[in-house]
Amino acid sequence: MRLKTSHLKEPKHILYFLNSITHKELVSCVGWTTADELYSCSDDHHIMKWNLLTSETTQVVKLPDDIYPIDLHWFPKNIGGKKQSQAESFVLTSSDGKFHLISKIGRVEKSVEAHCGAVLAGRWNYEGTALVTVGEDGQIKIWSKSGMLRSTLAQQGTPVYSVAWGPDSEKVLYTSGKQLIIKPLQPNAKVLQWKAHDGVILKLDWNSVNDLILSAGEDCKYKVWDSYGRLLYSSQPHDYPITSVAWGPDGELFAVGSFHTLRLCDKTGWSYALEKPNTGSIFNIAWSTDGTQIAGACGNGHVIFAHVVEQRWEWKNFEITLTKRRTMEVRNVINDAVDLLEFRDRVIKASLNYGHLVVSTSLQCYVFSTKNWNTPLIFDLKEGTVSLILQAERHFLLIDGGGIYLYSYEGRLISSPKFSGMRTDVLNAQTVSLSNDILAIKDKADEKVIYLFEALSGKPLGDGKPLTHKTEITEIALDQKGLTNERKIVFIDKNRDLYITSVKRFGKEQKIIKIGTMAHTLAWNDTSNILCGLQDTRFTVWYYPNTVYVDKDLLPKTLYEKDASEFSKNPQIVRFVGNQATIRRADGSLIHLNISPYPAILHEYVSSSKWEDAVRLCRFVKDQTMWACLAAMAVANKDMTTAEIAYASIGDIDKVQYINSIKELPSKESRMAHILLFSGNIQDAEMLLLQAGLIYQAIQVNINLYNWDRALELAVKHKTHVDTVLGYRQKFLEDFGKKETSKRFLQYAEGVSILWKLSPTFSKGQVFVGLRVLVIFPSST
């Protein structure tokens, strides 16, 4: 990936003197209205409009000579898919202590005395309901959208050079010398402050999609932080101070500007491209709304434009490169065949997976099959600002400023899910996941919540209640294969713990089980439900994550682990296709890891109920991990014969004996209930026994598990074996030397005498109540 830069031979921002001598004036700020229209402001007091389609530059307005513009920010265009009436205006801050609300045609709607000294920056919040300004006087002020002062948020002793809103518009980030400060709008909320640079901080930006912070300063470094103030990346010192930084709209890229320097970086900090244009210092950077190009305000009077080109997408034997803004090159690495794909409009987003290439341009969506690159399916888009494309085997998802749209690969709109308070501008690949039947979306307003939708209808799944976790969630992922009823979702929370749960909840509370710690990236395999992730310094593969719902003791035996310290700090899993996981290191280099192909073959055999083939495969491979996976798969599918073979092969003799005892049970219902008990599903086992009329067995299950209250409740409810429960309870208390304290047991024990004696006709002891035998115990008791 690189930047293709361009600027005019002669700058448009110049001052003419009486003797016709011209002087280049620095451009202080730029801002995009659309993907092809830009406004720029300069010390020559002019506001210029740039049309990239026609290459025309026109003067919008000449400001009074005492107004030197410093910063501009356009009013947000749409919130939640709704167009804003005030979107055709921007705020302009200036050196005279004022900010100005200016319409698109250049009319100054309002000028407000805001600060003593220059107003150094101004930013609208994401809803367009408030404006924050900072100045040389060290004050941070909040204004209404009409320009009325709401509050003075803070007062610093030094000039505040830059400011940004938090993703939820409830916090403000600003500079204070070498410090960065996050100040909530609530009066008594805790303020977060840390030393970020060794010199004065000049610029900052806070992205609403990835929740990461950029900072740049006079120490010639740019840095990436999380919202807790933890350093994620620090650049090497440049030759000159960093004068501008800006996040791309989708949070995947950011740009850095300095003297004669423009750099394109990944969100983790490493650099894609470095350009050295003759621009002087770049004081301000703005990304176009579609995230395909950058504009920079230059110190020599120029406005520099840079297009992002040479993006790459890979899938199996295909490699696709965006060679120009409207041209892609497809290369088949097997036979080295090359195809060129030409588009009418500029390419904005693309995704290559599951045998299809989906390309979004500014007006249309193209769907190519990897089997035929000549005849794409084309349909028009409602908006030209697609921010995310996700693919599943049967369909794909588009997200733009207006909503979420699910399409088939034939171009048919399947559904458009919605939920209250949905903000599509903050969704990314970590907070949205798609499978063949389910769509999962993490709620930005409440980050403990995941909304689940049926893919084909767009309706909320099941009873409509979202999945809720106890702490904030950072990343989610749905598995891709198998039946809908068995669909699983994994997620990482802010404590870096990895959890798994089922998305089908049938009206009962679903168990959320932790399967990993210190996890920071994960990916499901595209052809089988195998999960890989990075935990601290280990690369881990969960060959059968569903093991936690079958036999927790088996889970460690179904893992593959590899030392990941060689990947350096903060590596990311890019994809997990076939038997290969691709990992990107912190320096941007790609590492390909191959895993064993046998677990995927085992998954395929089990999904086709080919148990004999599965056993034969495990005997051939002779690997304990494979046998452990087969044991869990067999129990999950209630094939106890195969489970017995698998458990015997890994030496779990006690479980083999238990399986044998299950097979000897007289009724099908009893066997099914004990299989459920084997997997720890106590409630399901009890329910199955009660439905089959096996009341005593249901009571006995709870007695064996020491669920005394439940055992007595069942006995009283069904008016049978109350004495049995009391007998077992008394024996339990005697063995531990305790007295009965439960009022309920004392109530039912009144008038009932329990006699323990050794039976003359049996070699084992019996418990009698009256003349009735209740239960047999060993003779030693």
Side-chain angles (χ1 to χ4, degrees):
M1 193 182 299
R2 66 180 182 87
L3 290 172
K4 185 178 180 181
T5 60
S6 63
H7 58 79
L8 299 178
K9 289 183 179 179
E10 293 296 328
K12 291 291 182 179
H13 287 286
I14 54 178
L15 273 179
Y16 292 92
F17 296 96
L18 293 176
N19 54 3
S20 298
I21 297 175
T22 61
H23 176 67
K24 299 176 182 178
E25 290 289 350
L26 70 85
V27 182
S28 56
C29 48
V30 289
W32 297 86
T33 57
T34 67
D36 298 300
E37 187 178 78
L38 178 87
Y39 277 51
S40 64
C41 301
S42 166
D43 280 1
D44 65 358
H45 314 292
H46 290 110
I47 298 177
M48 309 289 289
K49 180 169 71 173
W50 305 70
N51 190 318
L52 273 64
L53 292 177
T54 61
S55 299
E56 293 180 352
T57 308
T58 56
Q59 179 179 309
V60 177
V61 66
K62 184 181 184 303
L63 300 171
D65 289 345
D66 60 339
I67 295 179
Y68 288 87
I70 296 176
D71 189 27
L72 76 83
H73 190 223
W74 283 90
F75 192 85
K77 274 204 162 184
N78 55 59
I79 303 298
K82 296 179 181 178
K83 297 286 183 183
Q84 299 293 302
S85 59
Q86 201 176 336
E88 300 296 304
S89 65
F90 61 91
V91 60
L92 180 74
T93 67
S94 58
S95 59
D96 59 355
K98 298 178 181 178
F99 68 83
H100 313 272
L101 302 179
I102 303 176
S103 69
K104 188 176 181 180
I105 60 174
R107 185 172 64 248
V108 180
E109 305 288 352
K110 192 171 188 178
S111 294
V112 179
E113 290 276 0
H115 293 265
C116 295
V119 184
L120 298 177
R123 285 290 179 270
W124 296 106
N125 68 359
Y126 294 101
E127 292 75 25
T129 56
L131 170 72
V132 61
T133 61
V134 295
E136 285 185 322
D137 58 1
Q139 293 188 332
I140 298 93
K141 294 185 176 181
I142 308 294
W143 310 79
S144 70
K145 66 179 181 180
S146 61
M148 301 296 291
L149 180 63
R150 286 184 179 171
S151 65
T152 299
L153 190 65
Q155 170 72 61
Q156 301 299 122
T158 56
V160 179
Y161 289 101
S162 191
V163 68
W165 287 93
D168 56 2
S169 296
E170 295 294 328
K171 306 182 190 74
V172 170
L173 167 71
Y174 56 91
T175 69
S176 177
K178 302 176 184 180
Q179 308 276 325
L180 285 178
I181 301 173
I182 297 178
K183 170 87 171 171
L185 298 187
Q186 292 83 358
N188 299 320
K190 184 179 178 181
V191 176
L192 181 63
Q193 180 173 342
W194 71 97
K195 182 185 177 183
H197 287 263
D198 294 324
V200 174
I201 301 172
L202 302 176
K203 287 285 184 178
L204 58 81
D205 197 8
W206 194 349
N207 188 261
S208 62
V209 180
N210 59 31
D211 200 23
L212 298 180
I213 293 168
L214 278 175
S215 63
E218 289 185 345
D219 60 356
C220 306
K221 293 180 181 180
Y222 63 88
K223 298 184 180 183
V224 183
W225 312 83
D226 68 10
S227 56
Y228 300 100
R230 294 178 294 208
L231 180 64
L232 303 180
Y233 180 85
S234 177
S235 73
Q236 293 297 315
H238 287 58
D239 295 332
Y240 301 96
I242 307 296
T243 48
S244 55
V245 289
W247 281 109
D250 61 3
E252 293 298 317
L253 304 170
F254 65 86
V256 178
S258 182
F259 182 76
H260 289 339
T261 301
L262 182 61
R263 188 184 287 274
L264 179 68
C265 301
D266 183 78
K267 64 181 177 182
T268 54
W270 56 271
S271 181
Y272 274 111
L274 174 64
E275 299 292 328
K276 289 288 188 178
N278 184 21
T279 56
S281 292
I282 300 176
F283 291 107
N284 182 242
I285 291 175
W287 285 81
S288 62
T289 52
D290 59 10
T292 62
Q293 50 195 329
I294 303 166
C298 307
N300 62 358
H302 280 286
V303 173
I304 188 170
F305 295 93
H307 297 274
V308 180
V309 294
E310 293 189 9
Q311 291 173 271
R312 292 179 183 271
W313 298 267
E314 295 176 1
W315 182 75
K316 292 188 176 179
N317 55 299
F318 292 100
E319 182 183 82
I320 297 177
T321 306
L322 182 67
T323 55
K324 299 178 182 178
R325 285 183 287 167
R326 296 181 176 88
T327 306
M328 282 181 162
E329 180 185 273
V330 181
R331 183 178 296 276
N332 187 334
V333 297
I334 291 178
N335 55 19
D336 214 28
V338 176
D339 291 276
L340 287 180
L341 310 180
E342 300 283 348
F343 302 95
R344 191 183 71 182
D345 307 295
R346 181 176 60 253
V347 173
I348 295 174
K349 285 284 180 184
S351 177
L352 176 63
N353 215 336
Y354 297 103
H356 291 88
L357 170 67
V358 181
V359 180
S360 162
T361 70
S362 54
L363 295 174
Q364 294 174 313
C365 181
Y366 295 74
V367 183
F368 296 86
S369 169
T370 55
K371 298 176 182 178
N372 181 8
W373 297 104
N374 298 319
T375 54
L377 188 141
I378 307 171
F379 59 90
D380 293 334
L381 295 172
K382 293 182 179 179
E383 283 198 30
T385 55
V386 172
S387 58
L388 181 65
I389 302 175
L390 285 181
Q391 290 180 257
E393 187 179 8
R394 298 176 190 166
H395 39 239
F396 65 93
L397 189 76
L398 295 182
I399 297 180
D400 62 19
I404 301 172
Y405 309 99
L406 197 69
Y407 288 93
S408 69
Y409 286 111
E410 290 75 37
R412 178 175 55 87
L413 179 63
I414 299 173
S415 63
S416 182
K418 292 180 177 65
F419 60 88
S420 177
M422 182 175 73
R423 276 183 60 187
T424 57
D425 60 316
V426 296
L427 299 178
N428 62 9
Q430 284 71 49
T431 57
V432 183
S433 185
L434 177 68
S435 69
N436 284 334
D437 38 47
I438 306 294
L439 171 65
I441 305 173
K442 189 192 83 171
D443 187 11
K444 188 68 176 179
D446 184 355
E447 297 194 338
K448 300 177 182 178
V449 170
I450 301 172
Y451 287 99
L452 300 168
F453 300 92
E454 295 175 358
L456 297 181
S457 66
K459 296 179 180 177
L461 189 67
D463 55 9
K465 293 181 179 178
L467 178 66
T468 304
H469 188 49
K470 57 188 177 183
T471 55
E472 289 84 355
I473 296 166
T474 59
E475 184 173 351
I476 65 174
L478 287 163
D479 63 13
Q480 297 298 309
K481 306 299 285 187
L483 302 174
T484 305
N485 290 342
E486 299 172 359
R487 183 73 58 234
K488 298 292 189 295
I489 186 170
V490 294
F491 57 85
I492 301 172
D493 66 13
K494 73 171 186 178
N495 298 324
R496 294 299 176 191
D497 291 327
L498 176 63
Y499 291 86
I500 187 171
T501 186
S502 175
V503 297
K504 287 283 187 178
R505 286 168 292 151
F506 301 114
K508 65 180 180 181
E509 192 67 27
Q510 181 60 46
K511 286 192 288 186
I512 300 176
I513 303 178
K514 182 163 73 172
I515 61 172
T517 58
M518 297 304 292
H520 60 271
T521 180
L522 57 89
W524 285 101
N525 188 264
D526 65 330
T527 55
S528 55
N529 288 338
I530 299 174
L531 177 71
C532 72
L534 286 164
Q535 299 184 95
D536 200 11
T537 58
R538 290 169 296 143
F539 172 73
T540 307
V541 180
W542 290 262
Y543 285 133
Y544 188 55
N546 196 45
T547 302
V548 294
Y549 288 101
V550 178
D551 185 352
K552 284 185 181 180
D553 298 336
L554 274 183
L555 186 64
K557 300 178 181 179
T558 63
L559 304 183
Y560 165 77
E561 291 187 313
K562 175 183 172 63
D563 180 39
S565 57
E566 62 182 282
F567 303 150
S568 71
K569 187 180 178 182
N570 293 327
Q572 295 292 315
I573 298 175
V574 179
R575 66 184 75 88
F576 186 18
V577 177
N579 303 318
Q580 189 178 79
T582 303
I583 297 173
R584 192 182 294 280
R585 292 168 34 132
D587 61 2
S589 59
L590 291 175
I591 297 175
H592 302 284
L593 287 179
N594 289 314
I595 67 167
S596 169
Y598 297 120
I601 299 172
L602 184 64
H603 274 272
E604 186 179 342
Y605 282 151
V606 170
S607 64
S608 304
S609 298
K610 296 179 180 179
W611 296 105
E612 292 182 1
D613 291 339
V615 172
R616 195 177 297 115
L617 175 67
C618 291
R619 283 174 176 158
F620 170 76
V621 177
K622 297 178 182 178
D623 181 24
Q624 292 288 293
T625 303
M626 291 284 287
W627 282 116
C629 289
L630 180 59
M633 291 173 178
V635 174
N637 288 274
K638 300 177 177 57
D639 188 316
M640 303 313 288
T641 301
T642 304
E644 183 181 355
I645 297 170
Y647 275 113
S649 299
I650 58 176
D652 279 354
I653 306 303
D654 54 338
K655 292 175 182 176
V656 173
Q657 292 174 339
Y658 186 70
I659 291 171
N660 278 324
S661 70
I662 292 175
K663 291 164 70 175
E664 293 172 1
L665 292 172
S667 68
K668 178 182 177 183
E669 291 80 3
S670 295
R671 289 194 293 273
M672 291 294 293
H674 280 78
I675 291 172
L676 290 170
L677 283 173
F678 186 89
S679 302
N681 298 320
I682 300 167
Q683 292 182 347
D684 293 344
E686 180 193 291
M687 188 182 301
L688 181 60
L689 291 170
L690 292 174
Q691 288 174 350
L694 303 172
I695 309 301
Y696 175 72
Q697 288 193 35
I699 294 172
Q700 189 68 50
V701 162
N702 284 285
I703 291 173
N704 292 342
L705 295 170
Y706 304 112
N707 294 334
W708 298 111
D709 290 333
R710 179 59 179 166
L712 183 60
E713 181 185 339
L714 288 174
V716 172
K717 180 179 179 181
H718 295 279
K719 299 178 181 178
T720 181
H721 295 292
V722 175
D723 44 4
T724 305
V725 178
L726 294 173
Y728 272 103
R729 173 75 169 182
Q730 184 187 76
K731 184 71 180 72
F732 169 77
L733 294 173
E734 287 176 358
D735 287 346
F736 288 94
K738 294 184 178 182
K739 290 186 178 181
E740 185 62 78
T741 56
S742 170
K743 292 181 180 179
R744 200 162 184 218
F745 274 91
L746 289 171
Q747 174 190 346
Y748 284 101
E750 288 181 7
V752 177
S753 60
I754 299 177
L755 175 65
W756 302 86
K757 77 170 189 176
L758 196 64
S759 169
T761 57
F762 294 97
S763 61
K764 296 181 180 181
Q766 297 177 330
V767 180
F768 289 85
V769 177
L771 298 175
R772 183 172 163 208
V773 178
L774 291 181
V775 67
I776 298 174
F777 284 99
S779 57
S780 60
T781 62

